Amino acid sequence: MRLILLGPPGAGKGTQCKRIADRYEIAHLSSGDILRAERAAGTELGQKAQSYMDSGRLVPDGIIISMMIDAMIKAVGGYVLDGFPRTVVQADQLDKSLAEAGEEIVGIVNLRVSDDRIAGRLTGRRSCPQCGAVYHIENLKPRVENICDKDGQKLVQRADDTPEVVANRLKAYHEQTAAVVGYYEGRGKAVIDVDAAGGIEKVTASIFSKLDVLCSQVG
Ligand code: ADP
Ligand code: AMP
């Protein structure tokens, strides 16, 4: 099964994609996570992406497209894409490369949440530098303050989750990413809208109920 999760930064894409990947036994391919891993490893790709990420701008399409297509080729049992495609050019290139491989995306989910809820979600986000688990200082607390439940590592705050950078990321979302929903609708693809303003469990239940139907249709 191949899925795409769309939505603004802080909508809950990463949180929900981890749950989707577990339930449907598919890979979770997050462009942001892959970029952060490249940076941590000090690769050329990571170095090229650094200034864009730190300022909240999108990394150029050419870099992202080849990086994600590589990751998709390796995910043989299916995947859910998180944070990609983020421009119409990326969506179009993704469509072309899927068509060449004779593959298709079976479900596109769009998490809807207003900008005023997003700032608090992002500035309160904490993540584990070791395993990537994501928490929130109020909405999803670890058992011990600031310590990862899974591996005991000290949680960190992402450098791009500051109010200034969040403002740039939201601007990039509205100017460059929001149009991806219209791109798919214009090509006759159903986009499943999910209200992501509620709590994490409520959003998960809503996504699962819709994807279970899809799953039973595609087998
Ligand atoms: P994205 O991947 O879309 O940027 P995340 O999944 O990392 O978003 O979520 C951003 C932050 O908001 C995290 O700290 C997460 O725990 C929290 N969060 C995610 N979904 C919700 C929700 N439905 N309600 C409240 N907080 C949420
Ligand atoms: P995320 O982890 O999804 O919030 O992404 C963090 C940052 O990585 C973004 O602010 C961008 O700078 C960069 N990034 C992630 N995915 C993409 C993408 N598909 N296209 C361009 N830049 C991206």
Side-chain angles (χ1 to χ4, degrees):
M1 186 155 78
R2 298 183 188 85
L3 303 169
I4 298 176
L5 213 71
L6 299 173
K13 299 183 300 297
T15 303
Q16 300 299 337
C17 279
K18 286 190 174 71
R19 295 172 176 212
I20 292 169
D22 284 349
R23 183 176 180 90
Y24 302 104
E25 297 179 332
I26 54 179
H28 170 199
L29 303 183
S30 154
S31 47
D33 285 351
I34 297 172
L35 287 168
R36 281 182 287 277
E38 294 282 345
R39 286 182 62 174
T43 65
E44 197 186 329
L45 193 162
Q47 282 167 21
K48 279 188 191 153
Q50 186 165 336
S51 63
Y52 296 97
M53 295 173 78
D54 288 347
S55 59
R57 287 173 299 147
L58 296 187
V59 174
D61 288 331
I63 297 178
I64 295 289
I65 291 163
S66 52
M67 177 187 93
M68 290 308 285
I69 287 175
D70 274 359
M72 286 157 52
I73 290 168
K74 288 178 194 140
V76 282
Y79 48 73
V80 55
L81 299 178
D82 165 5
F84 175 81
R86 232 168 169 118
T87 63
V88 167
V89 171
Q90 291 178 18
D92 205 39
Q93 203 51 53
L94 170 62
D95 246 23
K96 290 196 174 99
S97 88
L98 286 167
E100 275 166 22
E103 293 170 351
E104 66 170 347
I105 298 292
V106 300
I108 303 167
V109 175
N110 183 36
L111 297 183
R112 281 194 183 277
V113 59
S114 59
D115 286 8
D116 52 353
R117 280 184 190 265
I118 285 173
R121 286 194 188 178
L122 291 178
T123 51
R125 171 162 61 185
R126 300 289 182 273
S127 27
C128 176
Q130 181 85 24
C131 73
V134 173
Y135 301 87
H136 190 276
I137 53 170
E138 282 161 9
N139 307 335
L140 191 64
K141 294 178 180 176
R143 283 192 296 271
V144 178
E145 198 182 334
N146 225 26
I147 300 292
C148 181
D149 291 349
K150 296 183 179 149
D151 54 25
Q153 289 286 316
K154 195 162 184 270
L155 302 179
V156 295
Q157 181 172 23
R158 270 172 51 175
D160 60 349
D161 277 345
T162 58
E164 303 73 35
V165 183
V166 165
N168 289 341
R169 289 162 63 203
L170 273 175
K171 191 163 175 273
Y173 173 78
H174 289 295
E175 289 179 359
Q176 294 169 274
T177 307
V180 171
V181 174
Y183 168 86
Y184 284 119
E185 287 170 342
R187 297 183 68 108
K189 295 240 187 208
V191 176
I192 303 169
D193 252 322
V194 168
D195 177 7
I200 295 175
E201 300 305 328
K202 193 172 162 204
V203 177
T204 303
S206 174
I207 294 174
F208 283 179
S209 73
K210 288 167 176 155
L211 290 183
D212 282 354
V213 173
L214 251 188
C215 217
S216 66
Q217 287 165 353
V218 297

